[in-house]
């Protein structure tokens, strides 16, 4: 059966990460590792910021943190005398090799409305700058947030019928654990598909289960009008996140280039401000590599962030369009892990103790 091992692997990796973060905290190893691994700063990655929800089935829960957890992280950084800076300021420090003080940036992907409702007020408490990476179709209201659509289809259904590699499957989705297993299976399968196959499969699933993808987009993402007002806040920077939120590495070079340049031009025209920072959609090894890093600089972005885990090191100044980030993952909202995250020990464990991972 194709892909049957992947949910198991995912669970295993999650367990290792969970045990690993706990072990790093309780052993005090993060204190010992800090001088070695903490680098000169960190770029934190967030998606949704909103109050905790009750539902048992929340397969995208890793993409949301509570305002309280965000506040705890900001308080932790302040207590460590770490500067919270904008992406422009970080860029300046890397280019000028100004490493006299450690810094942190806060970045929020996709352009969710809850970033305005729940993140901005907390950022204001700390006068902390934030960067929002906007996929232009999401602001347009036509974007396809297929991972949320998949969640909604499975949440409604008792079973999902789908053809994987030509073989029909009937996946049980009658309980929350069955829903989670089905989600993991379908999510991994969908991410392996070419973009049009992914969109076709998700559209078919949505049609069968009465899920409206455009409504999800309009419900969750800020419109151009809302972004205009949001971007006027002095703490806010708007960056690019492609047009359609596709896997750039799966596209031809011409389409990948267009995703980077047209989205940038569209945001600049709509918001009347320069867009010089980018986040690659998905941003992992299978969505952004050497070709995308070069395309991003050619498109005029001063910096581009991945989702590869890591701290920012002095050497990162030579890889400004391949910057790593530290995920504030909703599945690990335990304030005891905050010093582990800022020590660099957590991301070092994830990326095999590489300082720069830009190939
Ligand atoms: Zn994204």
């Amino acid at each position: 059966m194709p892909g049957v091992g992947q949910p198991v692997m995912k669970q295993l990796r999650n367990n290792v990460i969970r045990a690993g973060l706990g072990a790093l905290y309780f052993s005090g190893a993060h204190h010992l590792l800090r001088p070695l691994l903490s680098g000169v700063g960190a770029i934190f990655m967030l998606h949704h910021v909103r109050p905790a929800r009750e539902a048992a089935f929340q397969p995208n829960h890793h993409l949301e943190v509570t305002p309280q957890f965000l506040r705890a992280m900001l308080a932790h950084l302040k207590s460590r005398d770490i500067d919270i800076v904008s992406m422009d300021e970080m860029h300046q420090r890397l280019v000028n090799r100004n490493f006299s003080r450690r810094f942190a940036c806060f970045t929020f992907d996709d352009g969710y409305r809850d970033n305005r409702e729940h993140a901005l007020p907390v950022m204001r408490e700390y006068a902390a700058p934030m960067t929002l990476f906007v996929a232009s179709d999401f602001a347009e209201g036509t974007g396809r947030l297929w991972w949320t659509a998949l969640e909604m289809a499975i949440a409604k259904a008792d079973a999902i019928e789908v053809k994987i590699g030509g073989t029909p499957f009937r996946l049980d989705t009658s309980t929350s654990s069955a829903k989670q297993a089905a989600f993991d299976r379908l999510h991994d399968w969908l991410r392996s598909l070419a973009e049009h196959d992914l969109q076709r499969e998700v559209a078919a699933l949505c049609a069968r289960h009465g899920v409206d993808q455009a409504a999800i987009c309009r419900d969750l993402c800020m419109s151009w009008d809302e972004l205009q007002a949001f971007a006027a806040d002095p703490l806010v920077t708007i960056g690019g996140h492609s047009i359609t939120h596709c896997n750039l590495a799966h596209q031809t070079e011409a389409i990948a280039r267009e995703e980077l340049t047209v989205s940038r031009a569209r945001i600049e025209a709509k918001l009347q401000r320069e867009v010089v920072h980018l986040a690659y959609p998905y941003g992992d090894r299978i969505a952004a590599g050497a070709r995308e890093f070069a395309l991003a600089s050619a498109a005029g972005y001063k910096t581009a962030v991945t989702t590869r885990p890591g701290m920012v090191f002095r050497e990162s100044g030579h890889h400004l369009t391949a910057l790593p980030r530290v995920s504030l993952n909703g599945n690990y909202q335990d304030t005891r892990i905050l010093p582990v995250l800022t020590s660099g020990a957590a991301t070092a464990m994830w990326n095999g103790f590489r300082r720069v991972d830009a190939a």
Side-chain angles (χ1 to χ4, degrees), residues 256-295:
R257 185 181 299 115
E258 191 180 291
E259 285 277 347
L260 297 180
T261 53
V262 172
S263 58
R264 180 172 184 227
R266 203 168 286 174
I267 300 170
E268 289 185 336
K270 288 286 186 182
L271 303 183
Q272 291 297 303
R273 57 193 67 229
E274 237 197 330
V275 172
V276 291
H277 304 286
L278 168 76
Y280 302 100
Y282 311 108
D284 56 9
R285 211 163 263 292
I286 57 169
R291 185 190 75 171
E292 289 67 40
F293 302 155
L295 286 175

Side-chain angles (χ1 to χ4, degrees), residues 20 170 319 344:
R170 187 174 191 279
H319 306 281

Side-chain angles (χ1 to χ4, degrees), residues 45-47 63 108-112 133 135 138 147 241-242 245 279-283 307 325:
M45 167 176 66
L46 300 93
H47 291 82
L63 298 176
F108 301 75
D109 288 13
D110 301 338
Y112 296 118
F133 292 113
F138 290 11
W147 53 94
H241 197 40
S242 81
H245 203 285
Y280 302 100
Y282 311 108
T307 60
R325 287 191 285 178

